[in-house]
Amino acid sequence: MRYETETALSTSLKRLRLAAGLTQEELAERAGISARTVSDIERGLRAGIHHDTARRLASVLNLDEQERRAFDAVARGRAVGPLSGPRQTVLPAFPTPLLGREKELASINTTLLPGDVRLLTLTGPGGIGKTRLALEAARAAQPTFRDGVYFVSLGELKSASLVAPELAKAVGAVETGPNFEQLLRQHLAERQALVVLDTFEHVTAAAPLVYSLLLSCPQISFLVTSRSALRLRGEHEFPVPPLETPAQIGDHPSHDILGAPATALFWHRAHAVRPDLQLDSTSASLVLEICRRLDGLPLAIELAAARVKHAPLASIRRQLEHRLDLLVGGPVDLPVRQRTIRDTVAWSFDLLDAPAQVLFRRLSVFVGGWSLDDLDSVCGAGRDTGSPLEDISALVDQSLVALDHDNPVARYDMPDIVREYAAQRLVEAGENLETARRHALHFLQLAEEAEPNLVRAGHERWFQLLDIERANLRAGMGWALESRKTVIALRYAVALWRYWRHLGEFAEGRRWVDAAVAMAGSAPASLRAKAMWAAGALAFPQGDHERMATLAREAYELAQQSEDRMDLRNALTIGGMVAMMHACYVDALEPFRESVVICRQLGVSWQLGTSYLNLGTALLHAGFSDEAVAALQEGGRVYRQIGDQVFAARVDNVLAHAALARGEVDEAGHLARGALLTVSVLQEHQGIADGLYTLAAVAAAQADHNRAATLAGAAAAVRETIAAHPGLFDLAIPGHFLNGTEQAVGTARWQSTRHAGYSMPAEKAIAYALGRK
């Protein structure tokens, strides 16, 4: 029995045939082959075809040279990526040069680039330089991989189950369901790319995912950094060696020191903190001995070099010598160099005074950095430690903490290996549980302070602040879920749903909020009702009406137990939106009218503006145009009063729909362009998609068919990137004009031009829509 399946050839031929505007029968007739052959190829029943058949098809499809070569490749059974599309290459940069890794880089590229080795793991202890080496190798390999290089940092992940979602986000695979492995296989099957997975050692349970992708995605290669190998078939391990030191110091100490990577690294870092340090035969000998005793480990060398600011080289050598002698005989199951670097961090730790040591171990709870203002409530700085700035400065001097010089506000972070050591000291002190609790509550306070300001004037600053603290917010909410702190988890959900929605990251927001809502612990009815509202608000853009219907019923029951009338308004709103999603516009009027009444009794608020927006949209589609415009205008007035530019723009976009329905095309264009300009400045992705789609309808009404198709394609691309599924009412009025245009120009031309818009970068599409060059 033969089964239909999607292959590189089937996908390519179908896409190219549709772009050419041909049916299967027409393509077969013009190519001189049977229609059955075309059908079998597109159903995936044939993985390859004869060269002459491929040549005939390419000729009929009018492919250019690049497209012809790509099609010929898949026709011969070699999977390739999309014929067009942006290369996804975003690699972190470093402010300092990479020293002395030329041989390692050459060896990595020689192993990886021919394509025979598709899983290369850089192994070694923490601090050996695996990440830096992988990034430089990936940067050198960029031109070789047609679809680019993807970098996935796994260091912040707490569970192997999060590897697939993180990888999906990095490669641009839109989260459309729970089966991330299948999603990744489909997304990467035809791509030729390099995926860099950094810091894999604590999520090794995700190794089967890597193996699955290797089997199903024949042109995907993996470059992994880990303290241990993944132990997969086909894996090649590259143990990252320590930096080399010179054999001896001769008559030219400067040449000897700067010519070897280990001593050159020490000298560069030491000279940065002691510019007056002289390099002569004596200092060169001391540097050589220090680097040898540190086994050429880059992080250990940098930590030791930082001490030059406070101690002479001879003193550093003596202390290090004593320290290594004292700490010999560590756990035999740890690599020798890992014990060495652990000793080096411990040596720096022991040089701190008691208050700085307390602060150091408590700082390990932060993820993604911190500011001085965070220290008091999380670490107790200023009460049971010393001066925050003084202690932080001591940690920076020891290279245990790094200051972000690119941030206008002082912000700090720890290298991963240092954080690991600090976390162990925190556990040994018995402070880990309490510090994690304080960390979660501190960032919950930030989220709750930000939440009402996200819909007021100045909201840009609050969104930026949440972006900066995103990793800490994730850690705080993760702690609440893992610790079964139901109330804290629900409070996080209520505080952060607007943030996720604004970014268009509905899938991630829903995972967090749904996990909190599902918790069984006791919580006030009003808090649970507000969490239900948050869950519904995130489910709505993804068109999940079944989930919303369930939430509406549960939220309504909770609202009956709540003294906060806004909970009833929220429950009614979810129910009304479910009716809208089913195109039952008249059924939505009563709950929306009641929502307006409740909000007016409670005073001016974002919910009042939104209730007017919902009512106006329902009235428009129910056929009450004049009343709809009045409600929409009132909603816009409320939004502008409180300073919510995003939703004021959303009102203008719906008013543009009303203008289109009245035949006032110029007015619709004016409103839609203003709305798109606002949301593009604020980077609100859902609004960008809505604005592009409305302007596509305006172009259609003006008989500008190419522009209409291009903008419609661009809108679809933006919606796909955020996994948004617009409701019928979002598409109804613009869709009427766009459908007419498609009929006027023909499906083939429409699809071809729409595909060009779909492939257009969002910024270029916005500029095109607004009439910019």
Side-chain angles (χ1 to χ4, degrees):
M1 181 180 294
R2 305 177 72 187
Y3 295 88
E4 295 184 15
T5 183
E6 184 173 301
T7 67
L9 178 58
S10 68
T11 302
S12 296
L13 182 60
K14 185 174 183 179
R15 176 163 47 80
L16 292 169
R17 176 178 62 77
L18 292 175
L22 299 174
T23 64
Q24 290 183 349
E25 291 74 18
E26 290 171 340
L27 176 60
E29 181 180 355
R30 297 184 189 185
I33 62 178
S34 70
R36 175 64 180 272
T37 298
V38 175
S39 175
D40 284 353
I41 295 170
E42 290 193 357
R43 287 187 295 150
L45 299 181
R46 299 181 64 170
I49 54 178
H50 191 273
H51 174 70
D52 181 64
T53 303
R55 181 184 58 79
R56 291 167 179 258
L57 290 170
S59 177
V60 172
L61 293 169
N62 196 27
L63 305 183
D64 62 27
E65 186 60 30
Q66 179 183 358
E67 291 172 326
R68 188 183 295 269
R69 286 199 304 270
F71 182 72
D72 184 64
V74 295
R76 286 183 283 129
R78 293 191 352 238
V80 298
L83 297 181
S84 62
R87 292 167 57 88
Q88 302 295 322
T89 304
V90 181
L91 297 175
F94 288 88
T96 56
L98 180 66
L99 300 174
R101 291 297 195 187
E102 293 81 7
K103 288 194 302 184
E104 289 81 3
L105 283 172
S107 179
I108 291 170
N109 288 330
T110 299
T111 304
L112 197 61
L113 294 187
D116 297 324
V117 175
R118 294 177 45 232
L119 173 57
L120 181 61
T121 304
L122 308 187
T123 59
I128 196 67
K130 300 184 294 294
T131 297
R132 184 69 188 273
L133 190 56
L135 284 169
E136 294 300 333
R139 212 178 308 278
Q142 285 181 14
T144 306
F145 292 91
R146 182 187 60 250
D147 295 305
V149 178
Y150 301 95
F151 179 79
V152 188
S153 177
L154 306 176
E156 293 179 3
L157 302 187
K158 300 294 185 182
S159 168
S161 64
L162 298 175
V163 172
E166 198 71 13
L167 177 56
K169 185 180 296 183
V171 302
V174 181
E175 301 179 20
T176 56
N179 193 336
F180 284 100
E181 185 173 327
Q182 180 181 354
L183 173 70
L184 286 165
R185 287 199 302 265
Q186 293 173 347
H187 186 78
L188 297 174
E190 296 182 20
R191 283 172 166 76
Q192 182 200 25
L194 175 65
V195 177
V196 181
L197 299 176
D198 183 48
T199 316
F200 203 93
E201 62 267 8
H202 64 299
V203 289
T204 52
L209 169 67
V210 177
Y211 191 67
S212 172
L213 295 177
L214 284 170
L215 294 179
S216 55
C217 307
Q219 293 194 99
I220 294 295
S221 297
F222 287 90
L223 181 59
V224 181
T225 72
S226 178
R227 297 187 191 182
S228 60
L230 276 60
R231 295 179 177 84
L232 296 174
R233 284 186 295 174
E235 178 186 30
H236 283 239
E237 185 177 351
F238 184 90
V240 178
L243 296 175
E244 295 179 355
T245 57
Q248 60 183 5
I249 302 298
D251 297 333
H252 304 283
S254 177
H255 177 271
D256 294 332
I257 290 296
L258 298 180
T263 49
L265 175 62
F266 183 96
W267 189 257
H268 279 294
R269 300 297 186 264
H271 202 257
V273 297
R274 277 281 309 277
D276 61 330
L277 194 64
Q278 298 297 313
L279 183 56
D280 53 26
S281 58
T282 301
S283 60
S285 296
L286 289 169
V287 170
L288 174 57
E289 189 172 351
I290 289 170
C291 290
R292 282 178 175 171
R293 291 185 177 276
L294 292 175
D295 288 343
L297 288 164
L299 179 55
I301 289 170
E302 294 197 36
L303 289 169
R307 294 302 304 155
V308 171
K309 184 176 181 180
H310 304 286
L313 289 171
S315 176
I316 292 173
R317 182 196 61 180
R318 285 194 302 271
Q319 293 180 55
L320 188 57
E321 184 177 277
H322 173 72
R323 193 66 175 155
L324 290 174
D325 288 342
L326 180 65
L327 294 177
V328 295
V332 296
D333 59 330
L334 294 177
V336 174
R337 293 188 183 92
Q338 186 175 1
R339 283 178 266 161
T340 302
I341 198 166
R342 195 179 296 272
D343 293 346
T344 305
V345 178
W347 170 59
S348 295
F349 174 80
D350 288 345
L351 293 174
L352 302 172
D353 60 20
Q357 288 184 345
V358 172
L359 179 60
F360 169 74
R361 64 180 181 247
R362 293 177 183 175
L363 289 173
S364 65
V365 76
F366 289 101
V367 184
W370 65 88
S371 68
L372 288 175
D373 293 338
D374 300 322
L375 298 185
D376 186 28
S377 61
V378 176
C379 300
R383 291 196 296 269
D384 48 353
T385 72
S387 162
L389 182 57
E390 180 181 343
D391 288 340
I392 282 289
S393 298
L395 299 177
V396 172
D397 288 344
Q398 293 287 340
S399 290
L400 294 169
V401 164
L403 172 65
D404 181 0
H405 294 282
D406 295 330
N407 201 312
V409 178
R411 189 164 181 84
Y412 305 86
D413 202 356
M414 280 181 172
D416 288 342
I417 187 63
V418 175
R419 180 182 291 107
E420 180 181 335
Y421 176 85
Q424 290 179 351
R425 300 305 293 254
L426 189 68
V427 173
E428 291 169 4
E431 298 174 347
N432 55 310
L433 298 180
E434 174 60 17
T435 306
R437 185 189 69 83
R438 291 168 70 162
H439 173 273
L441 291 175
H442 173 74
F443 286 99
L444 173 60
Q445 181 181 359
L446 168 66
E448 290 182 330
E449 184 181 358
E451 191 269 338
N453 290 291
L454 298 179
V455 293
R456 295 175 182 166
H459 48 71
E460 301 93 339
R461 183 177 72 87
W462 288 97
F463 277 112
Q464 183 182 33
L465 183 57
L466 293 179
D467 279 336
I468 292 171
E469 300 296 359
R470 180 171 184 152
N472 281 311
L473 292 165
R474 280 173 163 174
M477 189 159 191
W479 173 86
L481 292 170
E482 292 169 8
S483 303
R484 309 304 300 167
K485 303 296 183 183
T486 303
V487 170
I488 294 176
L490 291 171
R491 287 170 61 189
Y492 262 111
V494 171
L496 289 175
W497 72 267
R498 294 184 197 277
Y499 170 70
W500 288 309
R501 179 161 176 167
H502 177 86
L503 295 182
E505 296 193 358
F506 311 121
E508 177 174 352
R510 291 185 69 184
R511 282 201 302 273
W512 288 115
V513 175
D514 287 349
V517 168
M519 294 178 73
S522 62
S526 180
L527 178 60
R528 278 203 179 274
K530 289 177 173 60
M532 297 286 182
W533 160 245
L538 291 169
F540 169 66
Q542 294 199 309
D544 193 348
H545 57 84
E546 291 183 1
R547 172 65 172 158
M548 289 181 66
T550 300
L551 290 167
R553 291 190 296 271
E554 295 177 359
Y556 188 84
E557 292 175 4
L558 290 166
Q560 304 304 310
Q561 307 169 39
S562 170
E563 297 180 359
D564 187 350
R565 293 275 292 165
M566 195 62 77
D567 295 334
L568 178 58
R569 175 266 171 199
N570 293 340
L572 291 169
T573 298
I574 300 174
M577 295 312 297
V578 172
M580 292 288 287
M581 294 169 77
H582 289 290
C584 300
Y585 305 124
V586 173
D587 293 344
L589 294 178
E590 182 178 350
F592 286 162
R593 289 187 194 279
E594 189 173 349
S595 296
V596 169
V597 171
I598 292 172
C599 289
R600 290 182 63 181
Q601 293 171 348
L602 297 175
V604 174
S605 65
W606 180 87
Q607 287 87 345
L608 176 60
T610 305
S611 296
Y612 276 122
L613 169 60
N614 295 336
L615 177 59
T617 305
L619 287 166
L620 176 62
H621 290 277
F624 304 100
S625 179
D626 292 342
E627 191 179 351
V629 170
L632 290 167
Q633 290 174 340
E634 188 63 21
R637 183 191 66 78
V638 173
Y639 285 136
R640 290 180 174 89
Q641 181 179 346
I642 65 175
D644 188 344
Q645 298 167 272
V646 169
F647 271 76
R650 187 160 296 176
V651 167
D652 286 345
N653 197 67
V654 180
L655 284 169
H657 291 192
L660 278 173
R662 297 193 303 271
E664 298 174 4
V665 179
D666 290 343
E667 174 66 8
H670 171 73
L671 288 165
R673 280 190 294 274
L676 178 60
L677 178 61
T678 297
V679 295
S680 64
V681 170
L682 298 173
Q683 285 297 294
E684 202 274 319
H685 297 86
Q686 187 179 0
I688 290 172
D690 292 344
L692 290 171
Y693 194 72
T694 302
L695 285 171
V698 170
Q702 295 169 335
D704 191 341
H705 307 314
N706 287 337
R707 183 179 181 84
T710 300
L711 291 175
V718 174
R719 281 175 173 148
E720 183 175 309
T721 61
I722 59 176
H725 303 284
L728 294 173
F729 60 92
D730 289 317
L731 306 176
I733 294 174
H736 168 76
F737 292 89
L738 293 171
N739 290 337
T741 295
E742 183 175 352
Q743 294 170 5
V745 302
T747 299
R749 178 181 167 190
W750 171 264
Q751 291 292 348
S752 177
T753 310
R754 188 178 183 276
H755 179 72
Y758 182 86
S759 302
M760 186 182 293
E763 289 186 5
K764 185 176 179 181
I766 292 167
Y768 176 70
L770 296 176
R772 304 182 192 140
K773 295 292 186 183

